[in-house]
Amino acid sequence: MSDQATLMCASCDVPVQSRVDAPGDADTVFCPECGVEDTLANAAEEANAYVREQESQAVMADLRRVVNGHDAAADDGELKDRADAGKSFRFKVESAAGGAGCGCGSGGCGS
């Protein structure tokens, strides 16, 4: 099983491309649809931040389910969704191992 992931444009949901066959950290990667581009190193760093944010959201969703219960009505003690931090990402990762359907990016979720 491979631990490889595909670097994607977060807006267009398509794999990014490079102008060279084997890009290094300083080489440019770009979206063939919208044209967003950056160095491979910067794009990979942003994609990692995307994965961390997705994992954080998944943990918070699990915590809300545990604290609120599955049939909890609107209650003063209910754990609310956090305010949207307004985070936007130009690049994301799609794992080859799966996990993309759950949104957490961990590749091992069964939900």
Side-chain angles (χ1 to χ4, degrees):
M1 178 178 281
S2 175
D3 287 337
Q4 291 186 356
T6 302
L7 186 59
M8 309 278 289
C9 173
S11 297
C12 302
D13 203 29
V14 298
V16 298
Q17 296 179 353
S18 174
R19 291 177 180 84
V20 295
D21 288 336
D25 285 348
D27 290 320
T28 300
V29 294
F30 64 95
C31 173
E33 305 246 339
C34 71
V36 65
E37 66 179 54
D38 207 334
T39 63
L40 177 59
N42 289 343
E45 184 177 324
E46 189 170 320
N48 284 329
Y50 170 85
V51 169
R52 287 190 302 273
E53 178 64 19
Q54 294 299 306
E55 289 172 345
S56 173
Q57 289 178 11
V59 167
M60 285 303 296
D62 287 345
L63 182 58
R64 278 192 296 279
R65 283 191 290 276
V66 168
V67 170
N68 297 336
H70 293 287
D71 58 352
D75 185 9
D76 290 336
E78 185 173 330
L79 184 63
K80 306 288 185 199
D81 287 340
R82 64 183 174 169
D84 182 15
K87 294 182 182 178
S88 63
F89 297 94
R90 298 171 302 152
F91 302 98
K92 67 179 186 174
V93 175
E94 183 175 279
S95 175
C102 70
C104 79
S106 70
C109 290
S111 54

